[in-house]
Amino acid sequence: MVGKLFKHEIKYYIRSLMFVEIILFAVALMTRIIQFLENDSIIYDIVFGSSVIMLVITTLAAIFLIVVMGVVRFYKNLFSHEGYLTFTLPVSPMQHLFVKLSTYMLFVIVTVFSILVALSIATFGDVLVELVKAGAYLFEYVGDRIGHLSLIMYAVEFILLLLVSVAQQMIIYYFCMSVGQLTGKNRIWLSLGVYFIIYIATQVFETILIVIYSILDSANALDGIIDYIGNHIEGCAHFGLWFMIVFYALVSGVYFLVSHRIISRKLNLE
Amino acid sequence: MKWELDKSRAICPQICEQLCVGIASGELESGAKLFSVREVAVSAGVNPNTVQKSFEQLEQKGIIYSIRGSGWYVGDDTSAAKEMVTKLISEKTLEYFTQMKALGLDETEIKQYVKEWQE
Amino acid sequence: MSELLRCENLTKNYGSTTALDEINLSVENGKIIGLLGPNGSGKTTLIKLLNGLLTPTSGEIFVNGKKPGVETKSVVAYLPDNSFLYNWMTVEQIVDMFCDFYADFRPDLAYKMLLQLGIDPTRKLKKLSKGNKEKVCLILVMSRNALLYVLDEPIAAVDPATRDYVISTIINNYNHDASVIISTHLIADIESILDEAIFINKGKIMLHKTVDEIRDENGCSVDQLFREVFRW
């Protein structure tokens, strides 16, 4: 059944994103083609500039769209009248949540790749070659300094951290919507309210951490730790990154499980 | 077959009655294949269990019989069906008389009306 | 003889309101049953509980011997009183989806009914009229070969000709292993196809009898008894 859920979820995303993808590639292609007509006139500058601006706008739109879709699809399929069908399918709530989140992440990755491909198309030729050369040079330069393995690990850690952050953001939206649907009339207000509270709470939490740090620091209580970090920058950087990945994953897990609990026990379809 | 069902009475006996009327009048011939339970249920807009019960009751009285895998058939002996119809007729007549009396007529006047109506 | 639905002291509270109060109920296979009661009587709550859309406050509910969950959902066919369709799909796509998720779904029957009702399978659901959407919902549910059909107001929102079609479909679809629960206020239209009637009010079951018993004992139709019982 999970396979079938994936099939339908993926179909939905493809159908909704196809339009933007086509526009993205069309604008990238157009930008590239325009460059063939390069000359010194003002007209060329204006046309080329406009094309680049359109490309940037389309890229931002693609990013914006995928996030909006993640939210809208979740709400509509689970909490609108569609919920009467969705929740009577022979599928568990956990399977529904898992499939929705996974498909969203899949299409975030697809969107990022499309943007990279589109940008490559737009810069195809000399510019692209130069970029690739610069990238390779940077890789070698840094690699020689800190070891190729460490560099690759940093890359992996950054990507993982990025993925976990993106997932966490959507899971928080899922959580807010799940809490929101508990009420009858004011679902949206309650969802926004919950989101606002989470936002403020996160800010407060971070501020408290900073304050604690400052206090400890001014009392020179952290000198030992800071020395250690100074002597083991590599190891601590990696540790720090992994710590954050795991921490975000755990926080996401909590929001995910609470959302699951609400959906399983306290579903409130109109 | 047109079905006229009074919902304020149990439906099962009404189906029996109407089938008997059809059989007694010859509209449903002896030995002929009867509609299936499902067909009757759909055309009468009635629950199939009710129709099944009716058929079984008629079978008990010997009015119809079933052949496994084939369906229901009208029995050869129509006397039981005719008996039922006779019973129905007297019930309806009693009903008629009661209704007419409620309109203020007595027996002689009722018979008068019937005679006039016949002409 | 199998028990398709069983409720034991089933209670559901919403805050301080009691929607269902210690309901005890048993539904056997091979029956068409009317769940009859005024608005707010608890019909919809009972239906949602049996579909696993709500969880009981106390007491138990069993569908085909199991608590509502993934297994029971594959043998229950539910027609809610509002359209449940994914409007962005076409008729064909939602038929395919039902094929995917329900092993007991009969696509040939669905297409036959769509043809009979003059609905073009390639049309987008959002472009259909309200009446046609209701028909599609009904076709999808009746094309299942489920053990328990739960129809919430199946004839309220359709025209009289379609009502006859709905009633014929329910009768034609009848099979000895399955049961149909019809929740409605339009009792007069539906009472001839019922085996049993359940009267429910203020979360309590007031009556659960065969319809012929009701007619014999009260000398009137189920509809007339209902009006008597639920008179203001």
Side-chain angles (χ1 to χ4, degrees):
Chain A
M1 284 297 151
V2 175
K4 302 277 156 70
L5 272 186
F6 268 119
K7 168 182 157 191
H8 287 278
E9 197 72 21
I10 288 173
K11 266 188 170 174
Y12 175 85
Y13 273 89
I14 289 179
R15 179 195 152 269
S16 310
L17 288 177
M18 195 142 69
F19 189 62
V20 173
E21 292 283 306
I22 291 176
I23 293 184
L24 183 65
F25 287 116
V27 173
L29 204 58
M30 184 180 77
T31 308
R32 180 66 208 134
I33 292 175
I34 286 176
Q35 289 173 67
F36 280 125
L37 310 169
E38 177 160 12
N39 59 58
D40 285 328
S41 68
I42 280 257
I43 296 188
Y44 173 76
D45 285 342
I46 293 175
V47 169
F48 179 63
S50 314
S51 189
V52 169
I53 289 175
M54 272 179 67
L55 187 60
V56 169
I57 291 177
T58 314
T59 303
L60 293 175
I63 296 172
F64 181 70
L65 192 67
I66 181 73
V67 177
V68 166
M69 269 189 61
V71 170
V72 169
R73 168 68 176 170
F74 186 84
Y75 182 80
K76 243 182 135 208
N77 199 231
L78 300 185
F79 302 135
S80 74
H81 68 275
E82 291 187 16
Y84 279 96
L85 175 51
T86 309
F87 283 109
T88 48
L89 292 173
V91 165
S92 72
M94 181 57 83
Q95 288 169 320
H96 278 303
L97 282 178
F98 174 70
V99 168
K100 291 216 154 17
L101 184 68
S102 312
T103 312
Y104 166 72
M105 292 304 296
L106 173 66
F107 279 93
V108 164
I109 295 173
V110 163
T111 304
V112 168
F113 264 116
S114 314
I115 291 172
L116 291 175
V117 168
L119 291 178
S120 308
I121 292 177
T123 59
F124 194 80
D126 297 335
V127 179
L128 189 63
V129 169
E130 290 302 313
L131 280 175
V132 172
K133 274 206 236 166
Y137 176 74
L138 207 61
F139 184 77
E140 280 306 314
Y141 180 79
V142 178
D144 285 339
R145 297 268 156 139
I146 62 169
H148 289 110
L149 181 62
S150 189
L151 183 59
I152 292 173
M153 269 195 74
Y154 276 125
V156 167
E157 284 153 11
F158 270 120
I159 291 174
L160 272 181
L161 190 58
L162 213 56
L163 287 175
V164 171
S165 306
V166 170
Q168 182 188 49
Q169 193 54 25
M170 187 49 65
I171 294 175
I172 288 179
Y173 292 146
Y174 286 179
F175 174 76
C176 294
M177 287 188 276
S178 304
V179 172
Q181 65 93 44
L182 289 174
T183 73
K185 301 257 169 94
N186 300 310
R187 303 177 153 206
I188 298 183
W189 286 119
L190 186 57
S191 306
L192 289 175
V194 172
Y195 185 75
F196 184 66
I197 290 172
I198 291 175
Y199 177 75
I200 299 280
T202 315
Q203 300 293 80
V204 167
F205 179 68
E206 284 169 10
T207 310
I208 290 177
L209 285 181
I210 292 173
V211 167
I212 292 177
Y213 172 80
S214 311
I215 293 176
L216 291 176
D217 189 43
S218 52
N220 295 325
L222 296 176
D223 287 348
I225 300 178
I226 294 181
D227 275 340
Y228 181 82
I229 293 179
N231 294 326
H232 300 89
I233 285 202
E234 284 286 322
C236 289
H238 285 299
F239 174 77
L241 284 169
W242 280 107
F243 178 78
M244 287 190 35
I245 291 170
V246 170
F247 180 70
Y248 280 3
L250 285 176
V251 169
S252 308
V254 169
Y255 279 118
F256 188 86
L257 289 174
V258 176
S259 302
H260 173 257
R261 176 98 184 179
I262 294 176
I263 287 171
S264 311
R265 305 284 182 101
K266 300 252 174 227
L267 191 60
N268 186 25
L269 292 176
E270 295 288 285
Chain B
M1 236 187 115
K2 268 243 159 196
W3 297 94
E4 301 233 352
L5 298 169
D6 175 10
K7 288 190 273 236
S8 61
R9 284 176 53 211
I11 291 198
C12 182
Q14 293 181 58
I15 296 187
C16 291
E17 284 163 14
Q18 292 194 26
L19 281 172
C20 285
V21 169
I23 291 172
S25 71
E27 192 188 326
L28 299 167
E29 295 171 7
S30 293
K33 187 159 196 273
L34 216 48
F35 327 99
S36 70
V37 169
R38 200 171 284 270
E39 282 169 339
V40 173
V42 173
S43 70
V46 157
N47 189 296
N49 286 327
T50 311
V51 179
Q52 180 73 24
K53 260 201 295 184
S54 309
F55 276 35
E56 281 166 6
Q57 281 182 8
L58 288 178
E59 187 183 35
Q60 264 183 354
K61 296 210 168 100
I63 299 175
I64 64 177
Y65 62 93
S66 71
I67 297 182
R68 259 250 161 126
S70 180
W72 294 86
Y73 293 83
V74 182
D76 293 319
D77 180 12
T78 59
S79 55
K82 292 195 171 126
E83 233 181 88
M84 232 210 190
V85 176
T86 314
K87 211 178 87 178
L88 244 170
I89 292 175
S90 45
E91 276 172 19
K92 291 268 176 211
T93 311
L94 180 59
E95 227 179 272
Y96 173 74
F97 268 85
T98 318
Q99 283 174 352
M100 290 293 119
K101 287 197 181 140
L103 288 174
L105 303 171
D106 65 37
E107 284 204 23
T108 341
E109 285 169 314
I110 295 173
K111 288 182 187 156
Q112 185 72 17
Y113 268 106
V114 172
K115 238 210 225 148
E116 279 174 22
W117 179 82
Q118 273 187 316
E119 281 147 22
Chain C
M1 231 359 92
S2 62
E3 197 174 37
L4 293 177
L5 176 66
R6 176 186 197 72
C7 302
E8 286 175 9
N9 292 326
L10 185 65
T11 304
K12 180 66 182 172
N13 297 325
Y14 292 111
S16 54
T17 327
T18 303
L20 287 181
D21 192 358
E22 308 242 319
I23 299 269
N24 285 291
L25 182 60
S26 175
V27 171
E28 280 175 352
N29 59 302
K31 308 267 186 238
I32 301 180
I33 300 180
L35 184 60
L36 315 172
N39 288 332
S41 52
K43 293 183 306 215
T44 310
T45 306
L46 179 59
I47 288 174
K48 284 186 175 177
L49 279 164
L50 132 208
N51 277 296
L53 295 173
L54 285 177
T55 49
T57 306
S58 70
E60 309 268 24
I61 180 164
F62 299 103
V63 174
N64 203 27
K66 307 205 172 76
K67 290 201 180 167
V70 178
E71 279 189 69
T72 66
K73 288 174 188 180
S74 47
V75 298
V76 174
Y78 174 38
L79 181 65
D81 61 359
N82 280 319
S83 165
F84 55 70
L85 304 171
Y86 294 176
N87 287 322
W88 51 275
M89 287 189 175
T90 63
V91 177
E92 276 173 327
Q93 286 170 340
I94 201 159
V95 170
D96 274 344
M97 193 177 133
F98 267 67
C99 286
D100 275 346
F101 284 100
Y102 295 111
D104 62 21
F105 189 73
R106 298 167 289 190
D108 15 300
L109 180 57
Y111 281 112
K112 181 176 125 200
M113 290 201 270
L114 286 167
L115 192 63
Q116 282 173 335
L117 290 175
I119 296 174
D120 175 8
T122 60
R123 289 212 84 192
K124 281 201 190 283
L125 291 169
K126 66 178 166 219
K127 294 264 169 71
L128 293 177
S129 66
K130 183 161 182 281
N132 279 343
K133 280 189 194 166
E134 302 277 347
K135 289 175 188 171
V136 172
C137 289
L138 176 84
I139 289 172
L140 288 170
V141 170
M142 298 311 285
S143 300
R144 294 264 318 270
N145 194 15
L147 288 181
L148 188 62
Y149 295 88
V150 182
L151 312 178
D152 197 347
E153 296 292 357
I155 59 174
V158 292
D159 62 79
T162 313
R163 281 186 193 178
D164 288 341
Y165 185 83
V166 171
I167 290 173
S168 306
T169 306
I170 295 173
I171 297 174
N172 265 317
N173 208 33
Y174 169 84
N175 87 76
H176 189 62
D177 300 318
S179 283
V180 181
I181 297 178
I182 304 176
S183 166
T184 185
H185 334 85
L186 296 176
I187 300 165
D189 290 329
I190 216 116
E191 70 167 284
S192 5
I193 66 170
L194 300 178
D195 279 292
E196 299 171 11
I198 300 173
F199 282 17
I200 182 172
N201 195 23
K202 302 206 174 99
K204 283 195 182 296
I205 292 186
M206 300 172 69
L207 180 157
H208 182 184
K209 292 201 169 135
T210 67
V211 292
D212 276 351
E213 268 175 351
I214 290 176
R215 292 180 184 122
D216 281 337
E217 286 171 20
N218 298 283
C220 64
S221 67
V222 179
D223 181 47
Q224 285 163 333
L225 181 64
F226 184 86
R227 287 165 204 250
E228 278 283 321
V229 167
F230 291 111
R231 209 207 310 254
W232 284 48

